[in-house]
């Protein structure tokens, strides 16, 4: 696999501005900034990730599946593409929890340092009523997050995650 070329100014400025507009909740300005990026860079994974976020906020899951699939194709070593594809598959017509779960399960071992993959797998198994599996995935997510010094952040995320409501009381002990 060839290394992806870094985005340089002025395109980098537009990409950062698009992200900033998204942080402010202004998707139309974010789109405007993305449109100013050179045509050759429109399919760069960094640009596609911001574009995915715009369409996710609009809940256009069909487009999100396509964008995330492009990220996976262009940069299979980016966990964000796989997570985005699973998230989109869960919500798109004809998708669902099982499709999302399988998508991430197939690559979980390829991202041993990424806590969000086991975290999301915990969410999916919890929603499928497989609470023992959900606890195990969440323990794994906390272990990975602890290695990176992000365990407390992940704990707060878990406590706020509606998908993990059935495990809410167990989260403090799972995060030890």
């Amino acid at each position: 696999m060839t290394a992806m070329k870094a985005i340089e100014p002025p395109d980098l400025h537009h990409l950062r501005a698009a992200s900033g507009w998204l942080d402010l909740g202004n998707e139309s300005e974010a789109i405007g900034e993305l449109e100013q990026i050179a045509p050759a860079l429109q399919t760069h994974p960094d640009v596609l990730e911001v574009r995915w976020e715009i369409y996710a906020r609009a809940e256009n899951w069909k487009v999100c599946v396509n964008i995330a699939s492009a990220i996976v194709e262009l940069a299979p070593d980016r966990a964000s593409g796989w997570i985005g594809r699973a998230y989109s598959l869960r919500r798109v017509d004809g998708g669902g929890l099982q499709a999302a779960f399988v998508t991430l399960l197939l690559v979980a071992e390829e991202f041993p340092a990424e806590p969000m993959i086991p975290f999301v797998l915990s969410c999916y198994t919890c929603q499928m009523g497989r609470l023992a599996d959900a606890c195990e995935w969440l323990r794994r997510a906390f272990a990975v997050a602890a290695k990176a010094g992000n365990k407390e952040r992940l704990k707060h995320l878990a406590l706020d995650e509606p998908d993990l409501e059935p495990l809410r009381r167990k989260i403090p002990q799972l995060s030890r």
Side-chain angles (χ1 to χ4, degrees):
M1 178 173 38
T2 59
M4 189 64 52
K5 183 181 175 194
I7 298 177
E8 297 178 358
D11 297 306
L12 180 60
H13 300 307
H14 293 299
L15 181 61
R16 288 180 178 161
S19 292
W21 283 116
L22 273 180
D23 289 344
L24 294 171
N26 191 329
E27 291 83 9
S28 63
E29 288 292 336
I31 291 169
E33 289 293 341
L34 289 183
E35 288 173 353
Q36 294 182 60
I37 294 173
L41 293 172
Q42 289 295 321
T43 58
H44 191 285
D46 293 344
V47 175
L48 292 174
E49 285 178 351
V50 174
R51 195 171 301 284
W52 183 90
E53 181 67 32
I54 291 167
Y55 282 96
R57 290 185 186 193
E59 298 184 6
N60 189 335
W61 302 117
K62 186 175 180 180
V63 171
C64 284
V65 168
N66 292 335
I67 293 170
S69 294
I71 295 169
V72 165
E73 184 72 26
L74 293 166
D77 56 335
R78 283 189 187 212
S80 62
W82 294 99
I83 294 167
R85 181 154 73 179
Y87 193 88
S88 305
L89 281 170
R90 177 180 179 183
R91 289 155 179 83
V92 73
D93 288 339
L97 278 170
Q98 187 64 33
F101 174 76
V102 169
T103 294
L104 279 187
L105 183 62
L106 292 173
V107 297
E109 299 303 320
E110 295 178 34
F111 296 96
E114 176 53 64
M116 290 311 295
I117 289 180
F119 179 85
V120 174
L121 286 167
S122 177
C123 292
Y124 294 163
T125 52
C126 191
Q127 288 301 297
M128 291 188 283
R130 296 168 39 194
L131 299 185
D133 289 341
C135 287
E136 190 52 43
W137 282 114
L138 195 54
R139 271 191 203 96
R140 185 171 169 181
F142 282 127
V144 174
K147 290 178 184 174
N150 294 326
K151 190 162 96 172
E152 280 303 308
R153 188 177 140 269
L154 190 68
K155 182 179 175 182
H156 291 293
L157 186 64
L159 288 168
D160 289 339
E161 176 55 57
D163 282 350
L164 295 176
E165 181 60 39
L167 300 181
R168 187 80 60 229
R169 290 179 302 173
K170 293 184 178 187
I171 290 172
Q173 67 195 69
L174 291 170
S175 67
R176 290 186 191 146

